[in-house]
Amino acid sequence: LPTTEVQKSKLGMTKFFLKTLGQVLPSDLAARRFPVSVKGLICQNNKILLLKTEDGFWDLPGGKLTSGERPEDCLKREIREETGLDIKIGPLLDSYNLQVKKMMQVLVVVYQCSLEQGQQSIDLSQEHFDGQWFTKSELKDLKIREEYSEVMMKVCRKS
């Protein structure tokens, strides 16, 4: 496909997902062709929770949306599995089309989240190598996806 057709396809898939947000996706067909990852930006006391992955990047907690699953349910499940934390989900902050391991495009949607009361300690799953709270000034020196930087800075400024 010409580049413009590919871009239109990605834009169309993003719009399709955002229109169906909070609803069940009609089929797994879309998920197989265009995987969706739901991430949570958890900000508390002007610090953001990031998890270190096997490739050395710091990433937001979250994971892959499965067929028939609501994004909010996916995010709560994934964060509980990865960190042992329970969260409240806030507004949708942004969405990105990302190239993953030079093999596929993934639609990443980022929600603002907060911790349920009284939770502080992180209980990491085996798929992550570290999990820490970072201040806005510490984010500049970390190896994180450029796409997340802007939205992280905005949320840090507001909280």
Side-chain angles (χ1 to χ4, degrees):
L1 291 172
T3 306
T4 55
E5 291 299 316
V6 171
Q7 289 170 341
K8 285 181 185 176
S9 173
K10 290 177 190 173
L11 181 62
M13 193 62 201
T14 302
K15 285 182 180 178
F16 164 75
F17 180 77
L18 294 175
K19 282 182 184 177
T20 60
L21 211 55
Q23 302 172 15
V24 175
L25 290 175
S27 74
D28 193 31
L29 187 62
R32 269 187 264 146
R33 288 188 183 165
F34 203 91
V36 176
S37 180
V38 185
K39 300 287 185 173
L41 199 157
I42 305 170
C43 192
Q44 183 169 324
N45 301 327
N46 291 321
K47 292 185 176 185
I48 292 178
L49 177 63
L50 296 176
L51 304 177
K52 195 167 197 174
T53 60
E54 63 186 20
D55 58 3
F57 273 88
W58 287 91
D59 196 7
L60 296 171
K64 186 179 177 198
L65 184 68
T66 60
S67 177
E69 186 174 37
R70 291 183 45 220
E72 294 86 353
D73 296 336
C74 170
L75 189 55
K76 285 182 177 185
R77 174 183 53 80
E78 286 286 344
I79 290 178
R80 192 174 302 116
E81 285 174 8
E82 292 176 350
T83 65
L85 298 171
D86 290 316
I87 59 161
K88 293 180 195 172
I89 298 177
L92 175 68
L93 296 173
D94 216 335
S95 67
Y96 311 96
N97 285 313
L98 297 179
Q99 182 80 24
V100 177
K101 297 182 182 178
K102 299 181 183 179
M103 294 188 301
M104 72 172 99
Q105 289 284 328
V106 176
L107 174 64
V108 178
V109 291
V110 180
Y111 284 91
Q112 185 169 351
C113 302
S114 59
L115 293 180
E116 291 287 347
Q117 294 226 340
Q119 295 206 8
Q120 289 290 330
S121 62
I122 304 167
D123 183 21
L124 281 183
S125 68
Q126 293 180 349
E127 66 187 90
H128 291 91
F129 298 89
D130 197 2
Q132 292 182 37
W133 293 94
F134 293 97
T135 63
K136 184 172 119 179
S137 60
E138 293 170 325
L139 291 176
K140 295 173 191 167
D141 300 327
L142 295 178
K143 189 177 171 184
I144 56 175
R145 292 196 180 276
E146 291 176 28
E147 295 86 358
Y148 297 160
S149 302
E150 189 176 323
V151 75
M152 284 182 187
M153 294 303 174
K154 274 189 220 172
V155 170
C156 271
R157 274 186 240 127
K158 289 180 186 176
S159 61

